[in-house]
Amino acid sequence: MARPRQVLDEDILEVARACFIEHGAAVSTEAIAGRLGVSGPALLKRFGSKKELLKAAFSVGKLPPWLSVVEAGPDERPVPVQLREVAGTIDAFFRKMVPAFAVLREAGLTPEEWRGEDEVPPPARALHTVAGWLRRAQERGLLRAGDPNVMANLFLAGIQHRYFLAHITSQPVPSEQEDPWLERMVDIFWRGVAPE
């Protein structure tokens, strides 16, 4: 008798993400398992339920990985270089997560289930973290005076908006290589916050 195929969790989550985004929350676990070459029951045995598979596929309840990059700064490099790095890490997150938000909502997951045990909702923590980076830069004389919360809202909105708009209008978002939009957005933001 042939040995059952061994599939890594990350392979399962990658295929599940693709299936959920392509077909929505209603996609069957059998369809996901079929793409992986395993059985539906084997897939559910690994994750417990379709809901848990969905949450794991989109890392629900985990803090965005870019928060640690922002919390560590600013450093000694030129501020525009750092802003591009921060924007790039946030951009990569939203490129992946905006389609996921629609699937999670369709599945009936509440924002409380999305954020897991964290008391502060991830969007609020993200805003606070970016505002903290900007405030620290202001304290060091690297940015002009102004409300860091307003600046953080503008910065995050500038990054997120195109993904939400693309999702709502079913338009693809070009890669950074095809369209240097993110670099242009950061340059415009920098002109507005650079020291006078």
Side-chain angles (χ1 to χ4, degrees):
M1 186 191 299
R3 255 180 97 179
R5 180 173 176 221
Q6 294 295 318
V7 182
L8 299 173
D9 283 354
E10 189 48 47
D11 294 335
I12 294 170
L13 297 178
E14 185 179 330
V15 169
R17 271 191 296 274
C19 288
F20 284 127
I21 289 172
E22 186 179 333
H23 301 289
V27 68
S28 71
T29 53
E30 290 296 330
I32 296 168
R35 273 203 197 171
L36 290 161
V38 299
S39 71
L43 184 62
L44 289 179
K45 184 176 180 183
R46 184 94 58 104
F47 289 92
S49 69
K50 182 177 169 183
K51 183 178 181 179
E52 291 305 312
L53 174 61
L54 178 65
K55 288 169 64 175
F58 294 117
S59 300
V60 174
K62 294 181 183 174
L63 290 173
W66 59 266
L67 281 178
S68 61
V69 172
V70 179
E71 288 170 341
D75 58 33
E76 301 305 317
R77 296 174 295 153
V79 174
V81 170
Q82 294 181 69
L83 286 171
R84 282 188 199 95
E85 177 183 72
V86 167
T89 59
I90 296 170
D91 184 73
F93 173 77
F94 281 106
R95 181 179 291 272
K96 172 184 162 189
M97 286 306 296
V98 167
F101 296 148
V103 173
L104 293 167
R105 178 68 73 184
E106 178 191 347
L109 286 168
T110 65
E112 291 76 23
E113 290 174 292
W114 294 5
R115 70 175 181 242
E117 299 298 317
D118 197 5
E119 292 179 16
V120 179
R125 178 146 181 207
L127 178 64
H128 176 77
T129 302
V130 173
W133 190 99
L134 295 166
R135 186 174 15 269
R136 291 188 300 277
Q138 286 174 328
E139 290 166 357
R140 291 176 49 199
L142 303 173
L143 298 178
R144 72 176 60 186
D147 185 336
N149 289 310
V150 171
M151 292 177 177
N153 269 299
L154 290 170
F155 188 74
L156 288 168
I159 296 169
Q160 297 172 38
H161 179 264
R162 75 182 190 150
Y163 295 110
F164 285 104
L165 182 63
H167 181 70
I168 290 168
T169 61
S170 299
Q171 298 296 313
V173 177
S175 71
E176 197 172 338
Q177 294 77 23
E178 297 169 330
D179 177 15
W181 174 89
L182 188 64
E183 187 171 326
R184 291 195 310 264
M185 190 280 299
V186 171
D187 289 343
I188 291 167
F189 181 81
W190 170 241
R191 285 197 295 264
V193 299
E196 298 179 282

